Amino acid sequence: MPSAPILWRKLQTTQRLNPVREMDIYNLSNDVAGLFRQRLQSQILTAAKRFSKAATRSLDALSGSHIYKDVKSAGGRHAALVTELFRNAHFISNSGSLDTATLHCKLMASLSSDKTLVFELGWGQAKRDAGQLRTLGANADIAEILAIARLIATFKAIEFLTGRKVKLRIITGGQRFRLALFIRPEMDSAYNKKREEIARWLSPEAEIEFDTIQSYWSNEEIKARLEADENPIITHPMTEEDFRFALFAIDWYGVLGQGSAHDMYLPSSLTEALKTQSYSLKTDFLRSVIALTANPTIDLSMINSPFPRELLHATSNWFSEVARNSADLYIRLGHITLRNPRESGHSDQPVLLTVIEKPERPDIPCFQLLGRRYGKTLPQHLTGSLGAGENILFDSLYLIEAATALFCIPELSDAPLGVTSLFKTDVIHKLLHLHLFDDVELS
């Protein structure tokens, strides 16, 4: 599971918790948005061509070896080329341990008909800001823009390598893990819709669709499988990392709204008091409780909280118990709601992809959505920051201490795309000179 170890350690060692920062807002024009899109589209096309050339060179270097079968046939060669593409460590984290033989066979089967080549990627739920410790809110932002751009470049490269039309289906996880993370359906839907709009904005011709786990399992089926799984054999015991993941990933705003989780109830006095509080005070409240969970001695005097410290500590204990139950349930749900194309409601047989490595499935390539530099971190857990350095940085919002403003492109999003320490004119210049593939050698 992804986690926030650096943020956790920061909270553990910080003496005083800083409140949510007041920042300026830079609204960038449609002209800037258009130039920014042209910049990204140009880099996407360049990267796709060079990714395909790299895969071709890699396969040609294997000439005479017996790694791939039937490479003299068109289908066998095309499948081998795509497999070599997925052995690129710049965007595939398990490239070195990939089961190339199994993947090659699956690709050959998919290429055996004249239908569109379909890939299916399991990728994430809406952002959860954890009291704005992690992100600016629940909306897709510049982290998702760059992740989707990298995906488009990869699948354009596959089209170049095979001469075939390629379709990417993204299976979102909000409904799959709703029972563990309490993600509100409306928040999940808005996030998925925003990612779909980003994909169309970047590449109108790219065939990318967003679907949910319900194309495999309905909510009722997931509940039934959980009930039938009375004695689960968990091959991955819950760790403190899993606990931290759940603590930061739960949709706590939704939990506070309903006043309960896992059949455990908040004190009624707290539930009633929260109903009358503004969203900003709820954010401060969440910020305080999560910080106390990491560091019970932290000074909260700078936080505008209407609740006594004793109640915050009691709530922190409750949060901890909920998070441990959620982490355990998240692991169980992952085991009982696997994607098996034969059980999908779709008529095609997609080649499966993932964003979290699955040791038991080495034939499934694992995407590094933000590139090699950010490894296994995922866009939905991070905030993008534009600073004086050469490129955009991604981190938990609380750790981006120099940020003084939010930047927005109204044409693209009704929410901030990230934070910055630059002046508005410098933000524009930075976006228009952004290097999407700064971690990839494209020569």
Side-chain angles (χ1 to χ4, degrees):
M1 292 183 189
S3 66
I6 299 176
L7 174 58
W8 182 263
R9 288 197 297 271
K10 174 72 173 179
L11 292 173
Q12 283 186 311
T13 57
T14 297
Q15 293 183 338
R16 180 174 292 184
L17 181 66
N18 298 325
V20 175
R21 279 168 284 175
E22 299 255 346
M23 289 192 260
D24 294 333
I25 299 176
Y26 300 156
N27 285 310
L28 308 181
S29 68
N30 290 347
D31 288 342
V32 171
L35 292 171
F36 179 42
R37 176 167 56 180
Q38 290 175 21
R39 170 76 177 176
L40 293 180
Q41 289 173 333
S42 175
Q43 291 186 57
I44 286 169
L45 183 58
T46 298
K49 290 177 178 177
R50 292 180 178 175
F51 285 166
S52 64
K53 289 179 180 177
T56 302
R57 289 197 301 268
S58 180
L59 182 61
D60 289 344
L62 296 173
S63 178
S65 70
H66 300 285
I67 294 178
Y68 299 111
K69 297 179 181 179
D70 302 321
V71 289
K72 292 185 179 180
S73 69
R77 178 171 173 79
H78 288 159
L81 285 168
V82 177
T83 304
E84 284 301 297
L85 180 75
F86 286 132
R87 289 210 307 125
N88 189 327
H90 287 295
F91 54 88
I92 301 296
S93 64
N94 62 341
S95 58
S97 58
L98 199 61
D99 181 353
T100 55
T102 301
L103 179 59
H104 182 246
C105 287
K106 288 185 176 182
L107 287 164
M108 283 187 66
S110 295
L111 287 161
S112 62
S113 71
D114 57 358
K115 295 180 180 179
T116 298
L117 188 57
V118 181
F119 293 86
E120 186 178 280
L121 176 68
W123 171 22
Q125 312 99 30
K127 291 176 182 281
R128 276 84 73 207
D129 68 10
Q132 290 202 11
L133 290 169
R134 295 184 82 180
T135 71
L136 292 163
N139 287 281
D141 56 29
I142 197 165
E144 280 80 5
I145 291 174
L146 298 191
I148 291 170
R150 295 175 74 95
L151 288 173
I152 292 171
T154 304
F155 290 97
K156 281 186 181 292
I158 294 175
E159 290 183 340
F160 291 147
L161 290 169
T162 63
R164 297 280 291 274
K165 189 67 179 174
V166 174
K167 175 180 179 179
L168 172 62
R169 179 183 302 122
I170 294 176
I171 298 289
T172 66
Q175 297 307 300
R176 181 184 185 188
F177 296 108
R178 181 178 57 84
L179 294 174
L181 303 180
F182 306 104
I183 299 167
R184 288 161 289 174
E186 65 273 16
M187 186 174 78
D188 192 50
S189 297
Y191 177 74
N192 295 333
K193 181 180 178 182
K194 184 59 63 179
R195 288 194 292 177
E196 195 165 3
E197 290 173 355
I198 288 170
R200 288 199 302 269
W201 183 78
L202 282 170
S203 183
E205 77 283 358
E207 193 170 355
I208 302 176
E209 70 174 27
F210 288 77
D211 201 353
T212 71
I213 197 64
Q214 292 184 28
S215 62
Y216 288 90
W217 312 102
S218 68
N219 287 336
E220 292 72 23
E221 287 171 324
I222 291 174
K223 289 180 181 178
R225 289 177 69 82
L226 269 178
E227 291 171 0
D229 189 36
E230 294 179 353
N231 297 301
I233 299 174
I234 301 298
T235 57
H236 168 58
M238 189 181 68
T239 65
E240 283 304 301
E241 181 181 354
D242 298 328
F243 164 74
R244 290 195 301 268
F245 163 75
L247 180 69
F248 287 112
I250 289 171
D251 175 14
W252 289 113
Y253 293 98
V255 169
L256 294 177
Q258 66 186 29
S260 66
H262 303 310
D263 295 324
M264 296 183 291
Y265 293 85
L266 276 170
S268 57
S269 58
L270 176 60
T271 304
E272 288 301 313
L274 283 170
K275 287 181 179 179
T276 63
Q277 301 301 329
S278 66
Y279 186 83
S280 62
L281 280 175
K282 286 183 180 178
T283 296
D284 284 338
F285 174 77
L286 285 177
R287 199 179 184 85
S288 301
V289 172
I290 291 173
L292 277 174
T293 305
N295 180 2
T297 66
I298 197 169
D299 180 6
L300 300 178
S301 60
M302 295 181 68
I303 297 296
N304 181 22
S305 175
F307 304 104
R309 191 179 181 93
E310 293 75 18
L311 184 55
L312 292 175
H313 271 294
T315 308
S316 171
N317 293 335
W318 188 83
F319 270 38
S320 294
E321 189 64 25
V322 170
R324 292 193 185 281
N325 277 272
S326 288
D328 179 71
L329 187 53
Y330 184 95
I331 295 169
R332 290 177 60 197
L333 286 168
H335 281 284
I336 67 173
T337 58
L338 299 174
R339 287 182 292 143
N340 184 341
R342 291 192 300 274
E343 296 167 333
S344 172
H346 295 282
S347 59
D348 50 49
Q349 289 293 305
V351 176
L352 297 184
L353 307 167
T354 185
V355 294
I356 298 177
E357 282 189 43
K358 296 174 170 48
E360 73 281 6
R361 291 296 308 274
D363 59 303
I364 300 181
C366 180
F367 264 90
Q368 295 173 319
L369 291 175
L370 293 175
R372 196 173 191 177
R373 182 157 52 129
Y374 289 94
K376 300 174 184 178
T377 54
L378 298 173
Q380 64 266 30
H381 302 307
L382 300 169
T383 297
S385 172
L386 296 177
E390 289 187 2
N391 246 297
I392 190 166
L393 301 176
F394 297 98
D395 212 333
S396 297
L397 181 59
Y398 192 74
L399 301 178
I400 306 173
E401 298 177 349
T404 56
L406 312 172
F407 62 93
C408 312
I409 297 179
E411 179 194 50
L412 180 58
S413 177
D414 51 5
L417 291 181
V419 298
T420 183
S421 57
L422 304 174
F423 292 113
K424 185 175 180 179
T425 52
D426 295 326
V427 169
I428 294 172
H429 181 270
K430 181 82 173 244
L431 283 177
L432 300 186
H433 292 83
L434 188 67
H435 293 286
L436 173 60
F437 297 94
D438 64 303
D439 60 334
V440 177
E441 178 56 58
L442 293 180
S443 60

